[in-house]
Amino acid sequence: KNQVEQSPQSLIILEGKNCTLQCNYTVSPFSNLRWYKQDTGRGPVSLTIMTFSENTKSNGRYTATLDADTKQSSLHITASQLSDSASYICVVSDRGSTLGRLYFGRGTQLTVWP
Amino acid sequence: EADIYQTPRYLVIGTGKKITLECSQTMGHDKMYWYQQDPGMELHLIHYSYGVNSTEKGDLSSESTVSRIRTEHFPLTLESARPSHTSQYLCASSELRADSNTEAFFGQGTRLTVV
């Protein structure tokens, strides 16, 4: 069964600190992995997208890693800001069909305190 | 900034009413999707479309229906709303490419409450 599991479920950190969010998946055949940021009551916004051959990708203070062998990904946030408070969702796409079906994790709810 | 728009953002409606949630995108994307998301839960695909006159049901059974008469427009309709339909509905779109490595852009969502 294709699944995406994220940990931790929630995380509280102080402003300026770094944190790392984890994503494990069992989606096969694998096409790509995406990290999205979703503010409360809003739609998800893409942070990174990585294919099988990529093992790291950065977008400002966000750095995503991918280990396609162990089927794990992480999202590292450096020098956190209050505006980073949001849910971070790991999404894995398969390549079994033209649709490129997306499998969503439940997200990690990050809260940044001043 | 994604050019995909959903209206209304919030809707409170009585049981039994018919409602239509609007979704429009100006990116010329062929693929469009509707997802349902409850608080703290993952997104579930309820409908998708490959292009004009193409509509398919997603993974999560839904009493809603969709239509795709124009490329840019993908409305979702509930003929008779019930409290169990209370949820957030997210529309998304992406290019149609064989390698599926395309960005999916999401709208802001419609928060539906049926009382």
Side-chain angles (χ1 to χ4, degrees), chain B residues 89-106:
Chain B
Y89 293 84
L90 289 160
C91 180
S93 73
S94 66
E95 293 179 3
L96 181 65
R97 272 172 38 186
D99 63 5
S100 74
N101 290 329
T102 58
E103 191 60 71
F105 295 93
F106 287 83

Side-chain angles (χ1 to χ4, degrees), chain A residues 37-54:
Chain A
K37 178 186 179 185
Q38 185 177 24
D39 292 314
T40 302
R42 319 275 284 202
V45 175
S46 177
L47 296 175
T48 63
I49 178 171
M50 289 185 292
T51 60
F52 185 87
S53 59
E54 297 173 299

Side-chain angles (χ1 to χ4, degrees), chain B residues 10 21-23 29 40 44 62 70 83-84 86 92 97 103 108:
Chain B
Y10 304 94
L21 308 185
E22 303 288 350
C23 176
H29 288 166
H44 291 284
S62 174
R70 303 200 315 267
S84 61
T86 295
R97 272 172 38 186
E103 191 60 71
Q108 297 279 38

Side-chain angles (χ1 to χ4, degrees), chain B residues 2 7 11 14 19-21 23 31 37-38 52-53 57 72 77-78 81 88-90 92 94 96 98 105 112 114-115:
Chain B
T7 57
L11 179 62
I19 58 170
T20 296
L21 308 185
C23 176
K31 288 162 68 172
Q37 184 183 31
D38 293 320
V52 172
N53 294 325
K57 288 191 178 294
E72 62 272 21
T77 299
L78 275 167
Q88 173 156 265
Y89 293 84
L90 289 160
S94 66
L96 181 65
F105 295 93
L112 173 66
V114 184
V115 298

Side-chain angles (χ1 to χ4, degrees), chain A residues 31-32 34 36 38 41-44 46 51 93-94 98-102 104-106, chain B residues 9 31 33 35 37 41-42 50 59 88 90 96 99-104 106-108:
Chain A
S31 177
N32 59 68
R34 315 153 192 235
Y36 283 88
Q38 185 177 24
R42 319 275 284 202
S46 177
T51 60
S93 176
D94 70 10
T98 304
L99 176 65
R101 189 168 293 260
L102 302 178
F104 291 81
R106 291 190 174 185
Chain B
R9 287 291 315 280
K31 288 162 68 172
Y33 318 77
Y35 291 90
Q37 184 183 31
M41 302 296 287
E42 64 266 48
Y50 287 117
D59 304 318
Q88 173 156 265
L90 289 160
L96 181 65
D99 63 5
S100 74
N101 290 329
T102 58
E103 191 60 71
F106 287 83
Q108 297 279 38

